[in-house]
Every structure is written in structure tokens, then in C-alpha cells.
Amino acid sequence: MFAFEKCHASQWHNKRVILHHLIPTRIILGHFPSAELLEKYQLTDKFGGLLSTIRSGNIQGYFQHLETHFEYFYHHLTYLLLKERGVVLLWRCLMKNMYTQKVLLGATMPVLEFEDCLKAFQFASNQPYTLQDMECILVSLVSQHYIKGYVHHTRQRVVLSKVNAFPPISHVRVHTEVYDEDVIQDHMDHAQPEVPQNILDYMEE
């Protein structure tokens, strides 16, 4: 963001180059670009449809968009980021939209039934999800704080918080695994079996 803001307004091309990488990163963090920004820098065709599928929870449409514009995203090294991390946003938005519709239809209990979630996922993705898949996905959403509540395994449902059950994506902290490289190196140095001498001799030939 710093580079984009400090880049002079007259440097349209340079600012566009920055956006190729900045927009995908900020999407994952829940900061979606405005339609005006995309239009100004001629990026509507690349990101407009992508944002629409995220907001609607259209899983199949999201991946179709990525494949349609594969060369663009792959060239700018953002394809895997959007494919691997973006799917979590789709799950969250799909569940929020489904719950919103349930409330509009008169639902009063703040719960997400696994069966209802399964139907929504199968419809949005055209894939054969199972109830076990649903439980794994919902546990993931709750544990990452995209949904506030808890999973009730016995009753096959998620009990939602009565306050802000679906926090804004931008308020959710993205967790990254951090590895202690010193411990890993120590393990490699001392916990691995020694290479037999005949193999070492062969390697030196």
C-alpha cells in the first residue's frame, strides 16, 4: 500500500503494476478495491467478476474465473494465493448469505445446520460434498474466526454468536505458520540416519 500511495499520480503505468500484486493481497485480507479504482486502472475484467463471486459465495464461478484469467494471475504470481486462500472467503460469504436468507424467511434460531450447509455448498460448487466435509469446513471457519460460534458435533450444527456472528473479513487476523528453522536443522543433523559408506562412495564417483 505504501508503494502505491507514494507513487506519483502521473505514473499511471507504475501504479497499475503495483496493483497487479496489491489487489490480490488485500482481497485475502478483506479489503476489496472499489469499482472506480478497477475501472481507472483497467483491471475490471480481471477482478470485477472475482469480487462478485466472492461476495455471493459462488465457488464454481470463482474457480472458473481464475482459470479463465490463468495467464494473468500466474504471470503476476498471485494465482496460488487466490486459489488457496480465496476459497476460505468463499466459504464464509456463502454461509453468511445462507444464514441471511434463513433469517429473511423467518428463522429465529442462530444456528447453521450441517444439512443446510451441505445443500448450499453442493449448489454453489456443483461438487459432491459430504456432511464430513461440512463439519471440517465449519470447524475451520470457526477456528479461524471467520464465524463466531461453536460447532455442536452431536446435533450436527454450528451455534452462532448472537452478536456479530460473521465479522468483517478485514477484522479477521490471517494466521501464518511459523517454523523454528534452528530446531528443524538440529533435527536434520541429529535425528536422521547416517548415509551408508557405500552410498557415499558411489556419490563421490
Side-chain angles (χ1 to χ4, degrees), residues 29 34 39 47 66 69 74 100 116 118 121 138 163 165 178 202:
L29 297 175
S34 66
E39 184 176 352
F47 293 102
L66 284 181
H69 299 280
Y74 184 79
T100 299
D116 293 337
L118 178 62
F121 267 80
L138 292 167
V163 180
V178 178
Y202 177 79

Side-chain angles (χ1 to χ4, degrees), residues 7-182:
C7 186
H8 196 275
S10 64
Q11 300 298 314
W12 181 89
H13 177 74
N14 290 344
K15 291 177 81 74
R16 187 174 188 270
V17 169
I18 294 171
L19 289 175
H20 291 320
H21 305 277
L22 181 62
I23 289 177
T25 304
R26 287 181 62 79
I27 285 175
I28 299 303
L29 297 175
H31 300 283
F32 292 2
S34 66
E36 292 76 16
L37 180 74
L38 295 179
E39 184 176 352
K40 180 178 180 179
Y41 291 98
Q42 299 177 9
L43 292 169
T44 301
D45 62 323
K46 301 300 189 297
F47 293 102
L50 197 73
L51 296 173
S52 177
T53 58
I54 293 175
R55 290 189 175 104
S56 64
N58 182 354
I59 299 173
Q60 184 177 21
Y62 179 84
F63 287 111
Q64 285 178 345
H65 185 93
L66 284 181
E67 295 308 315
T68 298
H69 299 280
F70 173 81
E71 292 298 333
Y72 169 80
F73 292 116
Y74 184 79
H75 176 73
H76 292 101
L77 307 178
T78 56
Y79 176 79
L80 286 179
L81 170 70
L82 290 168
K83 185 173 183 179
E84 299 298 326
R85 291 297 308 178
V87 68
V88 182
L89 308 188
L90 288 161
W91 295 345
R92 178 263 184 197
C93 290
L94 178 60
M95 292 296 91
K96 181 182 180 182
N97 293 340
M98 186 192 79
Y99 181 67
T100 299
Q101 289 299 313
K102 284 169 62 70
V103 171
L104 291 175
L105 292 173
T108 57
M109 293 287 289
V111 298
L112 293 174
E113 304 288 352
F114 287 7
E115 283 283 359
D116 293 337
C117 297
L118 178 62
K119 293 175 184 177
F121 267 80
Q122 290 176 338
F123 177 79
S125 66
N126 196 30
Q127 294 295 321
Y129 284 94
T130 65
L131 284 175
Q132 186 175 14
D133 294 329
M134 284 303 94
E135 184 164 11
C136 291
I137 288 172
L138 292 167
V139 167
S140 177
L141 288 171
V142 171
S143 65
Q144 294 183 74
H145 308 296
Y146 286 102
I147 294 178
K148 291 171 65 176
Y150 64 90
V151 176
H152 197 307
H153 172 74
T154 304
R155 295 192 176 183
Q156 296 283 280
R157 62 172 52 166
V158 175
V159 180
L160 300 173
S161 169
K162 294 182 179 179
V163 180
N164 199 21
F166 296 90
I169 297 171
S170 58
H171 293 185
V172 178
R173 181 179 177 183
V174 177
H175 295 278
T176 304
E177 294 183 3
V178 178
Y179 301 97
D180 188 329
E181 295 196 5
D182 291 335

